[in-house]
Amino acid sequence: MALLVSGCSGLGLRADDQSQPPPDIILATTTSTYDTGLLDQLIPAFAKRYGFTIKPIAVGTGEALTMGERGEADILLVHAPAAEQAFMAAGYGTSRKAVMYNWFLLVGPEKDDLGIQTADSLATAWQAIADNEAQFISRGDNSGTHQKELSLWQTSNRQPQGSWYQEVGQGMAATLRIADEKQAYTLTDEGTFRAQQQSLSLRAAELTDQRLRNDYSVIVVAGSGPGATAFSRFLISEPGQSLIREFRAAGYDKPLFIPDARQ
């Protein structure tokens, strides 16, 4: 996806000026940054500036963190704060920086018999799904979205089980397609939903709740090389933040992610 480009400068880091190119940087990242196309904007811009090649692997946040623990990735772009904090406390990462945020959305069929789309609160909407055992599609993959969903079930004091609740073990885009086919409810990150919205009949509930804030961080894995540090610094620099701020999806004229670097 990214091309190796010579002539690096900026941020005080560059690829070594040697006959051998610097090693590839393995980025383990949540599926939302890949499925929305955001990485298609960030990676080439980084490669052009600094001359390192980024190889992204799109998985759920849980798997991305596991890859970091096993030394199979140099840098992580993830969105599960509690799991990230545990990762850092265990010494697997050398730095963790806020990059951006958006919101989790509860989405469901356009024919909304339960009134989820106009519910007065997240608790009311979540309770209505549970009480009516409305069909719900869960990612079921230990991703950041799945972890958020499980925390919402926990706070509602409900244990999702039965034929109405289906774990599919898929990324967000695939989970949305399944929910659309089955006319079911699901929890999604805002970026992937807006990027896929034109091909879906699902509608988002109009909910305002800080528990639905979706924060993304970049983590440099312990033992990784200078390219990982360079990419982390690029994401929180003004050029990187500007690319995030300007990124749009076709047919949706608002940012999919809100830059949030706290430098």
PDB file of all heavy atoms in Angstrom, residues 35 173 176-177 191-200:
ATOM      1  N   ASP A  35     -10.913  -0.194   6.658  1.00  0.00           N
ATOM      2  CA  ASP A  35     -12.144  -0.256   5.862  1.00  0.00           C
ATOM      3  C   ASP A  35     -12.629   1.115   5.408  1.00  0.00           C
ATOM      4  O   ASP A  35     -13.269   1.229   4.357  1.00  0.00           O
ATOM      5  CB  ASP A  35     -13.255  -0.949   6.653  1.00  0.00           C
ATOM      6  CG  ASP A  35     -13.019  -2.449   6.825  1.00  0.00           C
ATOM      7  OD1 ASP A  35     -12.218  -3.006   6.053  1.00  0.00           O
ATOM      8  OD2 ASP A  35     -13.635  -3.049   7.729  1.00  0.00           O
ATOM      9  N   ALA A 173     -17.061  -4.082   8.729  1.00  0.00           N
ATOM     10  CA  ALA A 173     -17.781  -3.965   7.466  1.00  0.00           C
ATOM     11  C   ALA A 173     -18.615  -5.213   7.206  1.00  0.00           C
ATOM     12  O   ALA A 173     -19.785  -5.123   6.807  1.00  0.00           O
ATOM     13  CB  ALA A 173     -16.805  -3.723   6.314  1.00  0.00           C
ATOM     14  N   LEU A 176     -21.636  -5.336   9.571  1.00  0.00           N
ATOM     15  CA  LEU A 176     -22.708  -4.438   9.121  1.00  0.00           C
ATOM     16  C   LEU A 176     -23.503  -5.056   7.976  1.00  0.00           C
ATOM     17  O   LEU A 176     -24.735  -4.946   7.940  1.00  0.00           O
ATOM     18  CB  LEU A 176     -22.115  -3.097   8.680  1.00  0.00           C
ATOM     19  CG  LEU A 176     -21.731  -2.127   9.810  1.00  0.00           C
ATOM     20  CD1 LEU A 176     -20.870  -0.999   9.269  1.00  0.00           C
ATOM     21  CD2 LEU A 176     -22.971  -1.585  10.509  1.00  0.00           C
ATOM     22  N   ARG A 177     -22.831  -5.715   7.061  1.00  0.00           N
ATOM     23  CA  ARG A 177     -23.542  -6.347   5.945  1.00  0.00           C
ATOM     24  C   ARG A 177     -24.457  -7.458   6.437  1.00  0.00           C
ATOM     25  O   ARG A 177     -25.587  -7.616   5.956  1.00  0.00           O
ATOM     26  CB  ARG A 177     -22.542  -6.880   4.914  1.00  0.00           C
ATOM     27  CG  ARG A 177     -21.836  -5.781   4.120  1.00  0.00           C
ATOM     28  CD  ARG A 177     -21.104  -6.346   2.919  1.00  0.00           C
ATOM     29  NE  ARG A 177     -19.995  -7.220   3.305  1.00  0.00           N
ATOM     30  CZ  ARG A 177     -18.752  -6.789   3.496  1.00  0.00           C
ATOM     31  NH1 ARG A 177     -18.460  -5.503   3.346  1.00  0.00           N
ATOM     32  NH2 ARG A 177     -17.797  -7.629   3.816  1.00  0.00           N
ATOM     33  N   GLY A 191     -16.998   5.583  11.850  1.00  0.00           N
ATOM     34  CA  GLY A 191     -16.276   5.695  10.597  1.00  0.00           C
ATOM     35  C   GLY A 191     -16.665   4.635   9.594  1.00  0.00           C
ATOM     36  O   GLY A 191     -16.972   4.946   8.429  1.00  0.00           O
ATOM     37  N   THR A 192     -16.673   3.378  10.022  1.00  0.00           N
ATOM     38  CA  THR A 192     -17.012   2.296   9.096  1.00  0.00           C
ATOM     39  C   THR A 192     -18.462   2.414   8.642  1.00  0.00           C
ATOM     40  O   THR A 192     -18.769   2.206   7.463  1.00  0.00           O
ATOM     41  CB  THR A 192     -16.778   0.928   9.754  1.00  0.00           C
ATOM     42  OG1 THR A 192     -15.432   0.855  10.235  1.00  0.00           O
ATOM     43  CG2 THR A 192     -16.996  -0.199   8.748  1.00  0.00           C
ATOM     44  N   PHE A 193     -19.370   2.760   9.553  1.00  0.00           N
ATOM     45  CA  PHE A 193     -20.773   2.883   9.168  1.00  0.00           C
ATOM     46  C   PHE A 193     -20.975   3.982   8.127  1.00  0.00           C
ATOM     47  O   PHE A 193     -21.661   3.774   7.121  1.00  0.00           O
ATOM     48  CB  PHE A 193     -21.634   3.164  10.398  1.00  0.00           C
ATOM     49  CG  PHE A 193     -23.096   3.351  10.064  1.00  0.00           C
ATOM     50  CD1 PHE A 193     -23.869   2.284   9.639  1.00  0.00           C
ATOM     51  CD2 PHE A 193     -23.686   4.603  10.149  1.00  0.00           C
ATOM     52  CE1 PHE A 193     -25.211   2.456   9.310  1.00  0.00           C
ATOM     53  CE2 PHE A 193     -25.022   4.784   9.829  1.00  0.00           C
ATOM     54  CZ  PHE A 193     -25.783   3.704   9.411  1.00  0.00           C
ATOM     55  N   ARG A 194     -20.364   5.144   8.342  1.00  0.00           N
ATOM     56  CA  ARG A 194     -20.547   6.242   7.392  1.00  0.00           C
ATOM     57  C   ARG A 194     -19.921   5.901   6.044  1.00  0.00           C
ATOM     58  O   ARG A 194     -20.466   6.268   4.992  1.00  0.00           O
ATOM     59  CB  ARG A 194     -19.926   7.528   7.941  1.00  0.00           C
ATOM     60  CG  ARG A 194     -20.536   8.033   9.238  1.00  0.00           C
ATOM     61  CD  ARG A 194     -22.031   8.259   9.146  1.00  0.00           C
ATOM     62  NE  ARG A 194     -22.577   8.810  10.392  1.00  0.00           N
ATOM     63  CZ  ARG A 194     -23.871   8.900  10.659  1.00  0.00           C
ATOM     64  NH1 ARG A 194     -24.766   8.478   9.777  1.00  0.00           N
ATOM     65  NH2 ARG A 194     -24.293   9.405  11.807  1.00  0.00           N
ATOM     66  N   ALA A 195     -18.798   5.191   6.062  1.00  0.00           N
ATOM     67  CA  ALA A 195     -18.155   4.814   4.805  1.00  0.00           C
ATOM     68  C   ALA A 195     -18.976   3.797   4.022  1.00  0.00           C
ATOM     69  O   ALA A 195     -18.934   3.758   2.795  1.00  0.00           O
ATOM     70  CB  ALA A 195     -16.757   4.258   5.079  1.00  0.00           C
ATOM     71  N   GLN A 196     -19.764   2.971   4.745  1.00  0.00           N
ATOM     72  CA  GLN A 196     -20.563   1.919   4.112  1.00  0.00           C
ATOM     73  C   GLN A 196     -22.029   2.318   3.934  1.00  0.00           C
ATOM     74  O   GLN A 196     -22.805   1.583   3.319  1.00  0.00           O
ATOM     75  CB  GLN A 196     -20.512   0.645   4.976  1.00  0.00           C
ATOM     76  CG  GLN A 196     -19.128   0.104   5.257  1.00  0.00           C
ATOM     77  CD  GLN A 196     -18.551  -0.646   4.077  1.00  0.00           C
ATOM     78  OE1 GLN A 196     -19.276  -1.226   3.289  1.00  0.00           O
ATOM     79  NE2 GLN A 196     -17.234  -0.621   3.954  1.00  0.00           N
ATOM     80  N   GLN A 197     -22.416   3.465   4.451  1.00  0.00           N
ATOM     81  CA  GLN A 197     -23.826   3.818   4.614  1.00  0.00           C
ATOM     82  C   GLN A 197     -24.628   3.773   3.315  1.00  0.00           C
ATOM     83  O   GLN A 197     -25.797   3.372   3.309  1.00  0.00           O
ATOM     84  CB  GLN A 197     -23.933   5.205   5.246  1.00  0.00           C
ATOM     85  CG  GLN A 197     -25.331   5.583   5.702  1.00  0.00           C
ATOM     86  CD  GLN A 197     -25.329   6.856   6.531  1.00  0.00           C
ATOM     87  OE1 GLN A 197     -24.296   7.500   6.713  1.00  0.00           O
ATOM     88  NE2 GLN A 197     -26.484   7.219   7.051  1.00  0.00           N
ATOM     89  N   GLN A 198     -24.019   4.167   2.212  1.00  0.00           N
ATOM     90  CA  GLN A 198     -24.760   4.224   0.954  1.00  0.00           C
ATOM     91  C   GLN A 198     -25.210   2.847   0.475  1.00  0.00           C
ATOM     92  O   GLN A 198     -26.162   2.748  -0.304  1.00  0.00           O
ATOM     93  CB  GLN A 198     -23.913   4.909  -0.120  1.00  0.00           C
ATOM     94  CG  GLN A 198     -23.759   6.410   0.100  1.00  0.00           C
ATOM     95  CD  GLN A 198     -23.052   7.083  -1.054  1.00  0.00           C
ATOM     96  OE1 GLN A 198     -22.037   6.600  -1.543  1.00  0.00           O
ATOM     97  NE2 GLN A 198     -23.598   8.205  -1.516  1.00  0.00           N
ATOM     98  N   SER A 199     -24.538   1.797   0.943  1.00  0.00           N
ATOM     99  CA  SER A 199     -24.902   0.454   0.517  1.00  0.00           C
ATOM    100  C   SER A 199     -25.732  -0.295   1.558  1.00  0.00           C
ATOM    101  O   SER A 199     -26.016  -1.481   1.403  1.00  0.00           O
ATOM    102  CB  SER A 199     -23.640  -0.367   0.211  1.00  0.00           C
ATOM    103  OG  SER A 199     -22.847  -0.533   1.374  1.00  0.00           O
ATOM    104  N   LEU A 200     -26.143   0.396   2.629  1.00  0.00           N
ATOM    105  CA  LEU A 200     -26.882  -0.228   3.722  1.00  0.00           C
ATOM    106  C   LEU A 200     -28.252   0.418   3.886  1.00  0.00           C
ATOM    107  O   LEU A 200     -28.428   1.608   3.619  1.00  0.00           O
ATOM    108  CB  LEU A 200     -26.113  -0.078   5.043  1.00  0.00           C
ATOM    109  CG  LEU A 200     -24.702  -0.661   5.111  1.00  0.00           C
ATOM    110  CD1 LEU A 200     -24.011  -0.218   6.393  1.00  0.00           C
ATOM    111  CD2 LEU A 200     -24.736  -2.184   5.025  1.00  0.00           C
TER     112      LEU A 200
END
